[in-house]
Amino acid sequence: MTETTRTITADGVQAAADRILGAHASGTPCAPVRDLIDGADAAYAVQRRVAEVWLAGGRRLVGHKIGLTSRAVQRQLGVDTPDCGALFADMAVPDGAEIPAGAVLQPRAEAEVALVLDRDLTHERHTVADLIRATAFALPAIEVAGSRIRDWDITLVDTVADNASSGVYVLGNRPVRLADVDLRMCGMVLERRGEQVSTGTGAACLGHPLNAALWLADHLVAQGTPLRAGDTVLTGALGPMVVPAPGDVLEARIDGLGDVRVAFAEEPADEPAEEPAEEAP
């Protein structure tokens, strides 16, 4: 690789990061970034650059999310591997709470299994046994993904650069040991105000949510940022995404894990225009 190529690549990474950071700060989605960078390595470099800016601004890293765990979605984007993004403390929404209008750009919701770790995962290649020993408990979760890319016009490069299209997430409150639940066979139902809108099982997540978590553990070690004790891992969707509307209430139930719920605030009413003051005679 020539020095010129390296410079252009570095410039492209910074330009892509600036585009995504601008969309995040303004609340206005931006154009895709695939015109600025090429390939997954460059996209993860953008993701790391964006995360560095957020961490320097005071955000706190609390875990990671896994995306593209559906084989159908992988085929749609022409890839054969999941992707991942960072979870920050200010992305966590309490169970049953309301997400303010505009807090997530172009939101899409899905039900997932969350794992919370109590040991580091630092091996170059992990086993299922490593992961089971490292997991303190599992929880039901709703991830509300969002895209800073206008109209979700994304390729793999765009979504990876955009922190795997992260938004916010909601965790249930009843921790369950892995020994007490079959994550592969657990059924999921996602309802909107009591109406069923998405169903699935743990097997829809790369065959088993632990398979997705194993991929993440190895991937992050290769990136030099291994999973640590205390981290939350969102393992990926158990069923199709749902596009929530203002005023919606979503509740997910996962067999063996319980339920989790989140509401979406109504759009604020437009302020009435002030009447012009009458001039004094």
Side-chain angles (χ1 to χ4, degrees), residues 62 116-121 134 226-232:
V62 295
V116 179
L117 306 181
D118 65 0
R119 296 188 187 184
D120 297 350
L121 286 168
L227 288 166
R228 298 295 186 185
D231 279 354
T232 296

Side-chain angles (χ1 to χ4, degrees), residues 98-102 193 245-248 263-269:
E98 185 177 77
I99 299 173
R193 295 192 177 277
D248 275 352
F264 295 81
E266 297 277 5
E267 296 285 355

Side-chain angles (χ1 to χ4, degrees), residues 129-271:
D130 293 329
L131 183 58
I132 291 172
R133 280 196 299 267
T135 300
F137 51 84
L139 294 167
I142 295 175
E143 181 189 358
V144 183
S147 182
R148 281 143 290 271
I149 307 299
R150 189 166 49 244
D151 299 325
W152 279 88
D153 178 12
I154 59 172
T155 63
L156 176 67
V157 165
D158 298 301
T159 187
V160 167
D162 188 23
N163 198 34
S165 302
S166 62
V168 300
Y169 66 97
V170 191
L171 300 179
N173 292 319
R174 185 174 67 88
V176 177
R177 298 182 309 161
L178 293 186
D180 297 332
V181 62
D182 183 348
L183 292 183
R184 185 177 73 86
M185 296 303 294
C186 63
M188 177 280 295
V189 175
L190 181 62
E191 296 181 342
R192 174 167 32 212
R193 295 192 177 277
E195 177 187 358
Q196 182 175 299
V197 290
S198 179
T199 62
T201 67
C205 180
L206 288 186
H208 196 298
L210 292 185
N211 294 343
L214 277 176
W215 173 85
L216 177 70
D218 292 350
H219 172 82
L220 290 179
V221 168
Q223 295 283 316
T225 56
L227 288 166
R228 298 295 186 185
D231 279 354
T232 296
V233 175
L234 297 183
T235 57
L238 303 185
M241 279 184 163
V242 174
V243 180
D248 275 352
V249 178
L250 297 182
E251 182 171 4
R253 293 192 302 276
I254 301 177
D255 292 342
L257 293 181
D259 56 72
V260 59
R261 177 178 174 275
V262 69
F264 295 81
E266 297 277 5
E267 296 285 355
D270 291 335
E271 293 287 336

